Amino acid sequence: MTRIFSGIKPTGHLTLGNYLGAVRRWVEVDQHRADALFCVVDLHALTVDHDPGRVRRLSRQAATLLLAAGLDPARCTVFVQSHVDEHARLSYLMECTATDGEMRRMIQYKEKAAREQQRGGSVRLSLLTYPALMAADILAYQADEVPVGDDQTQHVELARDLAVRFNQRYGHAFTVPRAVRPQVAARVMDLQDPTSKMGKSHAATAGIVYLLDEPDVIRRKVMRAVTDSGSGVAYEPDTRPGVANLLDILAACTGSSPEELAESYDSYGALKKDTAEAVVEVLRPLRERHGELCADPGQVDRVLREGAERARALARPTVDAAYSAIGLLPAL
Ligand code: AMP
Ligand code: TRP
């Protein structure tokens, strides 16, 4: 059976981008067709300035939202990365397999490091080595497929390269994984700045829809979305990114295509109104279920405990074998 692994970083409240670009597919498709693991990757949240209490709260909230969105612990494994030591253990071997140049070529590192330096801040070493930890996340479980949005494909490619290299040098230890991309709304853009991604780590703005936003807040954000000055509604992502983003979101919420939808609207106002309502309806059951789970914290605790146990049992033999293959003396 195909093994799937994916992760979500607790660096901010989950957004509509996370849902349409990743989580919804995990729920609707991946957990039914494969042996899937979904991980709140809290170690990755420490690669940038962070507040300990906030990371802890966001980790729990992310796990709760994954369950609220419909991940079913009877079908898949939901857990928190730091509960399973194997991630950090294998990450070190990945650092011993990757090169410095390879890490520095990562677009996300270059962008984040440049931004940090511009602000006069310092860059944590873990921001550079992040892809080694991400490769460990994936390879520890012998994952075949890694569902991620566009921005993460480069990191999955690197995990592939590291798996191949390790296997060649030390004997077969890892399945070579591949990135799989969702078909619609792979990249949801910020409603106020449709040329940049709707990201949960960004400062809160009116351009980001959070999964737990109240319906009225969602309506307000969508109605105020930046569009362009062209006339009529057309799907032209390069020249009219604001309208294209609304069409992508509406298409993802209603299961139609953005091109078709463009033909059925002639005003931005009507498009925004329908998009707002579609988003409110898609998120409504999720918000309700989240409320129920928060009222029963023992249930979330249990899911995370059992998830970590299962994950540990899967990862340990692989990581032990890799330790042995690379030349480390097994502990007796
Ligand atoms: P992150 O928020 O960076 O931890 O991403 C978690 C998952 O959501 C990854 O698979 C991302 O590629 C995906 N994702 C994050 N933001 C967006 C977005 N605006 N549009 C589509 N997918 C996204
Ligand atoms: N780097 C991913 C992101 O920022 C999160 C992540 C960490 C991940 N480890 C992973 C995704 C392993 C897929 C598989 O979105």
Side-chain angles (χ1 to χ4, degrees):
M1 196 178 192
T2 305
R3 171 77 50 78
I4 289 184
F5 184 97
S6 200
I8 197 144
K9 260 192 332 258
T11 44
H13 298 280
L14 297 198
T15 71
L16 183 65
N18 293 128
Y19 184 67
L20 295 179
V23 177
R24 193 173 67 170
R25 196 184 156 87
W26 301 352
V27 170
E28 292 178 358
V29 183
D30 295 332
Q31 68 172 345
H32 300 285
R33 72 180 173 94
D35 178 8
L37 296 111
F38 300 107
C39 184
V40 177
V41 289
D42 54 349
L43 297 174
H44 285 274
L46 311 185
T47 54
V48 290
D49 276 350
H50 76 285
D51 172 68
R54 184 162 188 268
V55 169
R56 206 174 292 124
R57 280 192 303 281
L58 289 173
S59 295
R60 187 163 182 98
Q61 190 192 66
T64 309
L65 277 170
L66 292 182
L67 300 175
L71 288 184
D72 174 358
R75 292 191 173 276
C76 66
T77 305
V78 179
F79 70 108
V80 175
Q81 185 186 30
S82 65
H83 295 177
V84 180
D85 293 343
E86 270 55 41
H87 295 252
R89 280 180 76 210
L90 185 56
S91 177
Y92 182 68
L93 299 200
M94 292 298 115
E95 287 181 24
C96 297
T97 307
T99 66
D100 176 67
E102 231 163 14
M103 293 288 155
R104 289 185 199 280
R105 273 199 296 279
M106 293 292 113
I107 294 164
Q108 194 175 72
Y109 171 72
K110 288 200 275 193
E111 286 178 358
K112 285 192 180 172
R115 222 179 298 140
E116 198 54 56
Q117 271 153 359
Q118 253 171 16
R119 279 195 271 143
S122 56
V123 178
R124 295 186 182 183
L125 180 57
S126 54
L127 187 67
L128 177 63
T129 58
Y130 179 119
L133 177 60
M134 180 160 162
D137 298 339
I138 297 166
L139 303 187
Y141 298 96
Q142 308 284 7
D144 303 287
E145 293 185 10
V146 185
V148 282
D150 292 350
D151 57 324
Q152 293 300 318
T153 46
Q154 196 187 23
H155 293 156
V156 181
E157 291 296 317
L158 181 59
R160 276 178 77 86
D161 293 345
L162 297 181
V164 169
R165 192 176 308 154
F166 192 102
N167 289 346
Q168 278 171 353
R169 278 191 194 154
Y170 309 113
H172 184 85
F174 302 117
T175 301
V176 179
R178 65 175 187 283
V180 291
R181 299 163 59 197
Q183 278 153 9
V184 217
R187 210 167 151 85
V188 179
M189 310 308 275
D190 190 296
L191 297 172
Q192 290 297 315
D193 173 12
T195 56
S196 75
K197 150 181 135 153
M198 185 184 282
K200 68 171 137 58
S201 315
H202 303 172
T205 73
I208 304 174
V209 175
Y210 296 102
L211 297 188
L212 293 175
D213 276 347
E214 302 280 342
D216 278 347
V217 173
I218 296 175
R219 290 189 186 101
R220 204 175 323 126
K221 287 176 176 175
V222 176
M223 293 309 289
R224 288 186 191 160
V226 168
T227 43
D228 28 62
S229 49
S231 65
V233 175
Y235 185 66
E236 291 163 8
D238 292 335
T239 49
R240 302 170 67 182
V243 173
N245 189 34
L246 290 171
L247 288 165
D248 276 332
I249 293 171
L250 182 58
C253 292
T254 57
S256 33
S257 84
E259 290 86 357
E260 265 168 26
L261 285 169
E263 284 175 20
S264 52
Y265 288 95
D266 42 34
S267 85
Y268 291 167
L271 171 63
K272 285 181 172 176
K273 200 155 173 296
D274 285 0
T275 305
E277 289 315 314
V279 173
V280 166
E281 286 317 311
V282 161
L283 297 185
R284 187 188 302 283
L286 204 150
R287 255 167 56 81
E288 288 172 1
R289 183 89 184 102
H290 178 267
E292 289 164 18
L293 286 166
C294 286
D296 181 10
Q299 196 182 336
V300 177
D301 291 342
R302 192 170 59 249
V303 169
L304 294 182
R305 190 170 53 243
E306 290 172 4
E309 274 165 22
R310 169 146 198 278
R312 235 177 262 131
L314 287 173
R316 187 160 295 157
T318 296
V319 178
D320 282 350
Y323 263 60
S324 171
I326 205 171
L328 299 170
L329 186 65
L332 293 173

